[in-house]
Amino acid sequence: MTIVECRAPWSPQAGPDWTEQKIAQLRFDEFGIWSVWWADRNGRWLSYPDAPVASTPPALLAEIERNPGGVFWG
């Protein structure tokens, strides 16, 4: 599951299209554990080491919203 931020056109020079910014990914492994990944400025996915171990996504979504290291929302 990939979370993106969608932004409306902000100036006439940028054109009429909305833009998307990758924010986070939630991944489910073969052991039934969810993990959080974040996108660097080049769009590469990196594991988020401080996320709690989770068997369901809500705790990870809360960590993304909390954003203690500033990697998700800048």
Side-chain angles (χ1 to χ4, degrees), residues 1-4 21-28 33-40 43-48 51 57 60-61 63-64 71-73:
M1 172 189 317
T2 301
I3 299 167
V4 297
Q21 169 106 12
K22 296 175 188 176
I23 302 300
Q25 262 187 5
L26 299 181
R27 297 183 184 180
F28 188 70
I33 302 298
W34 287 89
S35 60
V36 176
W37 295 69
W38 63 281
D40 70 7
R44 292 181 299 228
W45 291 107
L46 304 169
S47 176
Y48 183 70
L60 301 178
L61 292 171
E63 183 71 10
I64 293 167
V71 298
F72 299 114
W73 303 105

